[in-house]
């Protein structure tokens, strides 16, 4: 195990608190700081008695005093936070999405790639048991050529952060990088991870109503597209639905594979059997996925066949988000401008 003595988490929202608590479990003797900026409305009771120190700002030091830094601030702050952390931490993990727009993502990419620092984007879902098994089942389905993939993630905004006024949450505010296209970008990364890079997209719906937001963030986004290897894709995201649903469907020439990411179930249908259950994930899957991702990032000795989402891959996700936004404006198909 790598020697990790000092960790800093930027941002005290749900992701930041979760990362800090998980690091405490992994590294019981390490010094952990979490930065809670004065404008944050997030409660910190979960950190009580866990030996996690609360700071009001990022320390002004220049000797790489921290071994690991996690940026879990709103995505509109990510670029500025990376610039501040360049002299503070040896490694930088950035909560998804990489930034809130493609231009800042490209600037951040250049800064980190030129620095030589170890860095990654915290797309933890690929480390979940269901997605790990799903990738194996898709590769060995025996159902012929993969024709299409349909991914749906829908959850009422009021269920996301029960202890916070939803209008003040990151998800509800444009100035903090809210909206489902940015907040639910796991589904885009999943297409890249499971199938291949997306070549073009066409927006089918982008709405801004129906949820307690500032009225400027997308509450519903649906788009179609195609990967570079010819698989048709469809993604639907919304912050209006209860109970939540997160279902991924993959259609092959001779059958289907379906995954329910909330229940952790995977099913297969072919000419012989309909919805045959292939897998049931164990409990606490999200926590286990997050712990595996953080362990993979912080510990060079941890071996797993799942790779972290690197900065270049994070930029590619931002390229798809940018293309979907352009398509919603132009009402036509748009090419993903970031080469993969």
């Amino acid at each position: 195990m790598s020697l990790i003595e000092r960790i800093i988490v930027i941002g005290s929202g749900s992701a930041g608190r979760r990362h800090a608590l998980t690091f405490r479990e992994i590294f019981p003797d390490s010094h952990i700081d979490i930065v809670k900026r004065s404008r944050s409305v997030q409660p910190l009771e979960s950190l009580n008695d866990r030996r996690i120190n609360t700071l009001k700002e990022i320390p002004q030091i220049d000797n790489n005093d921290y071994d690991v830094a996690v940026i879990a601030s709103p995505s509109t702050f990510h670029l500025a936070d990376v610039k501040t952390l360049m002299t503070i931490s040896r490694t930088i993990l950035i909560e998804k999405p990489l930034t809130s727009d493609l231009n800042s993502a490209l600037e951040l990419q250049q800064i980190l790639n030129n620095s030589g620092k170890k860095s990654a984007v915290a797309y933890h879902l690929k480390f979940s048991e269901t997605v790990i098994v799903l990738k194996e089942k898709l590769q060995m389905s025996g159902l012929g050529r993969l024709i299409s993939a349909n991914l749906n993630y829908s959850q009422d905004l009021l269920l996301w952060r029960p202890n916070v006024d939803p209008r003040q949450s990151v998800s509800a505010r444009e100035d903090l990088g809210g909206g489902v296209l940015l907040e639910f970008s796991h589904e885009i990364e999943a297409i890249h991870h499971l199938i291949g890079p997306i070549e073009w997209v066409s927006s089918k719906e982008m709405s801004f109503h129906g949820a307690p937001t500032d009225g400027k963030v997308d509450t519903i986004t649906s788009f179609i597209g195609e990967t570079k290897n010819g698989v048709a894709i469809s993604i639907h995201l919304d912050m209006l639905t209860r109970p939540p649903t997160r279902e991924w469907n993959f259609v092959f020439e001779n059958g289907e594979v379906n995954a329910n990411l909330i229940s952790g179930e995977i099913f297969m249908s072919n000419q012989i059997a309909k919805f045959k259950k292939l897998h049931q994930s164990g409990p606490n899957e999200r926590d286990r996925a997050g712990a595996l991702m953080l362990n993979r990032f912080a510990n060079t000795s941890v071996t797993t066949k799942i790779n972290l989402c690197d900065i270049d891959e994070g930029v590619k996700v931002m390229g798809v988000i940018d293309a979907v936004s352009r398509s919603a404006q132009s009402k036509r198909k748009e090419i993903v401008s970031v080469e993969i």
Side-chain angles (χ1 to χ4, degrees):
M1 178 179 291
S2 301
L3 182 61
I4 303 296
E5 295 182 345
R6 295 178 61 83
I7 299 166
I8 187 168
V9 178
I10 314 302
S12 58
S14 57
R17 298 193 307 274
R18 187 169 62 251
H19 292 324
L21 290 169
T22 302
F23 270 131
R24 173 54 69 221
E25 294 296 323
I26 299 172
F27 303 109
D29 299 322
S30 296
H31 176 96
I32 301 177
D33 291 327
I34 187 168
V35 175
K36 175 181 168 64
R37 291 176 166 123
S38 58
R39 53 188 169 273
S40 173
V41 298
Q42 297 288 347
L44 296 183
E45 287 80 3
S46 62
L47 305 183
N48 291 346
D49 303 320
R50 300 307 302 273
R51 294 180 295 113
I52 296 172
N53 308 294
T54 303
L55 307 178
K56 292 182 179 180
E57 294 293 342
I58 300 174
Q60 299 299 309
I61 53 179
D62 59 3
N63 59 352
N64 285 324
D65 195 45
Y66 290 95
D67 300 297
V68 176
V70 179
I71 297 177
S73 54
S75 60
T76 49
F77 297 176
H78 286 183
L79 177 58
D81 285 342
V82 164
K83 291 178 178 179
T84 302
L85 288 170
M86 291 306 295
T87 60
I88 291 175
S89 179
R90 296 189 296 105
T91 65
I92 301 175
L93 178 66
I94 305 169
E95 182 57 50
K96 59 83 185 168
L98 183 59
T99 57
S100 59
D101 65 89
L102 181 57
N103 287 335
S104 60
L106 291 168
E107 183 179 352
L108 189 153
Q109 177 189 37
Q110 183 176 24
I111 291 170
L112 285 174
N113 286 351
N114 289 343
S115 75
K117 287 182 181 288
K118 179 180 179 180
S119 55
V121 188
Y123 281 102
H124 72 272
L125 198 58
K126 67 197 301 182
F127 290 88
S128 70
E129 180 183 343
T130 303
V131 176
I132 293 172
V133 175
L134 175 62
K135 186 174 179 69
E136 295 173 352
K137 299 301 183 184
L138 293 177
Q139 292 173 340
M140 302 183 297
S141 70
L143 298 175
R145 182 175 64 89
L146 178 61
I147 297 172
S148 65
N150 179 11
L151 280 63
N152 171 27
Y153 184 22
S154 305
Q155 180 174 339
D156 191 327
L157 175 62
L158 295 175
L159 301 175
W160 292 13
R161 301 174 179 92
N163 298 320
V164 176
D165 179 355
R167 291 174 178 80
Q168 296 302 314
S169 69
V170 167
S171 308
R173 294 172 53 180
E174 182 184 45
D175 61 321
L176 299 181
V180 292
L181 188 54
L182 285 166
E183 289 278 88
F184 288 176
S185 59
H186 266 301
E187 266 56 25
I188 297 172
E189 197 277 337
I191 293 291
H192 290 170
H193 175 59
L194 296 173
I195 303 173
I198 298 172
E199 185 170 30
W200 63 264
V201 296
S202 179
S203 174
K204 294 304 174 186
E205 181 179 10
M206 184 175 285
S207 300
F208 299 82
H209 62 271
T213 72
D214 62 4
K216 300 176 183 179
V217 301
D218 57 313
T219 57
I220 304 172
T221 288
S222 294
F223 63 94
I224 63 172
E226 187 174 294
T227 64
K228 288 185 178 291
N229 52 2
V231 177
I233 64 159
S234 173
I235 294 180
H236 172 85
L237 311 167
D238 76 64
M239 61 169 70
L240 308 176
T241 301
R242 79 168 61 193
T245 62
R246 196 169 206 169
E247 297 179 344
W248 298 356
N249 171 247
F250 301 85
V251 179
F252 292 81
E253 290 176 310
N254 302 311
E256 299 183 14
V257 175
N258 301 276
N260 184 324
L261 277 80
I262 293 178
S263 67
E265 297 171 293
I266 301 175
F267 300 90
M268 184 177 72
S269 299
N270 55 28
Q271 296 176 348
I272 299 174
K274 298 295 183 183
F275 295 102
K276 177 183 177 182
K277 192 169 185 176
L278 301 179
H279 179 77
Q280 173 67 68
S281 293
N284 303 315
E285 184 177 10
R286 180 181 181 178
D287 292 342
R288 289 187 287 116
L292 180 58
M293 177 191 68
L294 294 182
N295 233 328
R296 175 71 171 80
F297 182 77
N299 285 326
T300 57
S301 60
V302 171
T303 57
T304 174
K305 56 187 174 183
I306 302 98
N307 292 321
L308 291 154
C309 178
D310 64 28
I311 300 302
D312 293 345
E313 291 166 340
V315 170
K316 293 162 191 172
V317 172
M318 293 304 304
V320 176
I321 291 172
D322 178 73
V324 173
S325 298
R326 287 188 282 112
S327 178
Q329 293 291 323
S330 69
K331 310 300 181 185
R332 63 174 183 263
K333 180 174 79 173
E334 295 287 349
I335 302 298
V336 177
S337 59
V338 177
E339 284 297 322
I340 301 180

